Amino acid sequence: MTNSFGASARPPIGITALGMYVPARVVPNAAYEAHLDTTAEWIESRTGIRERRFAAEHEYTSDVGVAAVRDLLSRDPDGLREVDAVICATISPDALMPSTAALIASQVGLGGAAAFDLSTACSGFVYGLSVAQGMILAGVARRVLVVGAEALSKVVDQTDRNTAILFGDGAGAAVVGPVPGGYGLQEFVMGADGTGGSSLYLRCAAPQLPGGFQMGHSVGMNGREVFKFAVRVLGDSANEVLNKSHLTSGDVDWVIPHQANIRIIEAACGRFGVPMSKTVVNVHRYGNTSSATVPLALREAIDDGRVRDGQQLLLVAFGGGLSWAACTLKWWAGAPSLVARTAQTSEEEAAEVGA
Ligand code: ACO
C-alpha cells in the first residue's frame, strides 16, 4: 500500500534517545547439555547462538524494560522530555492487564502518559516505531517512548529442545520524536498473515484472579516453516521498503535485522543484496530476544562506532503472527544517547576541561 503523501512531505520524525539492558545471568549453550538431548556444538552450528541472558527469578518484563529506560536516562538525563505516550512491544507481558507499558511508565517518571502494549512478537519494535511516528504526525503525542522488552525465559518450556535453546531476555528503549530535516524515519512496510499463526505461538491461559496471571509455559513452533517464512519475508519486505524509499541495497550502510538465527540472516541478506559485512549481528551473545533484538543490535552498533550520523539504516524483522516489518531510517546522532558512550564521555570531559 502506498500513500499519496511521501516521506519528504512529512515533518521529520526519528529516534531521539536510545537505551538497552540485558540481565546479568549468562546461559551458555553447554548449560543445556545436562538436561536436554542436545550439544553446544549443535546449537551454535544450527543457529549461531553461543549464549543468552536470563532474567533473575523475580525480574519480569517490566523490570527489564525499566532498566533499558534507565540506561537511556544515564546517557541522556533529558531523554524523556515531552514523552506523552509509552508503547511496550512484548510477547511476555507481566500480565494482560495492566499493560507492561503502564508499569514501565509509572516507574520512570511517565505516570499519566498514554500507555499500551503491542503484540506482534519479534517485529514489535519496528511496528512500534511506525505507531509512534503516526501518533506524533496525528498530533496526539509530542514524543513517544517505544520499549521492546522480553523475559522469554519465563514463558519458554526449558525442557523442549526445539525452542528452549533459541530464546533469551533483554530490552531496548527508544524515544521517537522530531529530528532535523533530512534525518529520521523514511518508509515502513508491515504485514501479518494469521494463516501461519499455528507455526509459531504462545498459548495464554485464562487469567487466574486473584493472585496473578498464568501465561502458557511453552512456545509452539514449526522451526522449518518459520525458517522458510523468515527468509522469504525478510527479503521481500526489505526489497519493498527500499523501493518505496527510492533506495537500492547499495545505498544501505547498515542492516539491523531481527536476530533469530544467523542462517536466516545470511540467507535473507543474500536475497536483498546487502553483504554480511554491512549487517549487524549479535545473536551469538543474546539469542532471540524477540521484540528487543532490533534495539539491542542498534544500540551496540552505535556504541562500537559502526552506526554514525547520516548513515542509511534498514531495520527488518519477522515474528509470530506471522508478522513482518521493515523500515528505512537516516540516522541522526545529534542527541547525547545517539553516539558511542566513549564519544559521549570524551565530549563531556572536553566540555568540562573547557569550562
Ligand atoms: N539439539 C539437537 N537436535 C535438535 C535440537 C536441539 N536443540 N532441536 C531440534 N533438533 C533435531 C530435530 O528434532 C531434527 O531431528 P529429526 O531430523 O530426527 O526430526 C533435527 O534436529 C533437524 O531439525 P531441523 O528442524 O531440520 O533443524 P534446522 O537446521 O532447521 O534447525 C531451528 C532448527 C534452529 C529451529 C531452525 O529451523 C530455525 O531457526 N527456525 C526458525 C525459528 C525461529 O526463528 N523462531 C523464532 C521466530 S521469532 C518470534 O516471533 C518468536
Side-chain angles (χ1 to χ4, degrees), residues 254-276:
W254 292 107
V255 181
I256 318 282
H258 171 48
Q259 315 279 319
N261 183 321
I262 188 65
R263 291 158 53 218
I264 292 175
I265 296 173
E266 285 169 351
C269 285
R271 281 175 77 112
F272 56 79
V274 177
M276 286 302 288

Side-chain angles (χ1 to χ4, degrees), residues 46-49 226-235 238 254-285 287-289 293-294 297 306 314 316-318:
R46 297 299 178 101
T47 68
I49 300 167
V226 175
F227 195 105
K228 284 188 278 180
F229 159 79
V231 172
R232 176 175 56 78
V233 84
L234 286 178
W254 292 107
V255 181
I256 318 282
H258 171 48
Q259 315 279 319
N261 183 321
I262 188 65
R263 291 158 53 218
I264 292 175
I265 296 173
E266 285 169 351
C269 285
R271 281 175 77 112
F272 56 79
V274 177
M276 286 302 288
S277 58
K278 290 185 168 189
T279 303
V280 177
V281 174
N282 63 7
V283 69
H284 52 291
R285 285 185 291 120
N288 182 347
T289 56
T293 63
V294 170
R306 279 180 287 176
L314 168 64
V316 58
F318 71 93

Side-chain angles (χ1 to χ4, degrees), residues 185-261:
L185 296 161
Q186 293 155 306
E187 298 288 352
F188 284 89
V189 164
M190 300 187 295
D193 176 7
T195 63
S198 58
S199 296
L200 186 57
Y201 56 88
L202 175 55
R203 281 199 199 85
C204 213
Q208 317 262 302
L209 288 173
F213 172 70
Q214 294 273 307
M215 277 298 277
H217 283 281
S218 70
V219 170
M221 185 182 76
N222 180 332
R224 286 179 202 180
E225 281 308 309
V226 175
F227 195 105
K228 284 188 278 180
F229 159 79
V231 172
R232 176 175 56 78
V233 84
L234 286 178
D236 290 355
S237 59
N239 280 326
E240 197 183 333
V241 82
L242 286 173
N243 283 338
K244 202 173 165 185
S245 313
H246 306 292
L247 296 168
T248 68
S249 54
D251 297 318
V252 175
D253 292 301
W254 292 107
V255 181
I256 318 282
H258 171 48
Q259 315 279 319
N261 183 321

Side-chain angles (χ1 to χ4, degrees), residues 326-339:
C327 81
T328 44
L329 169 62
K330 193 75 149 174
W331 188 248
W332 178 65
S337 68
L338 306 181
V339 290

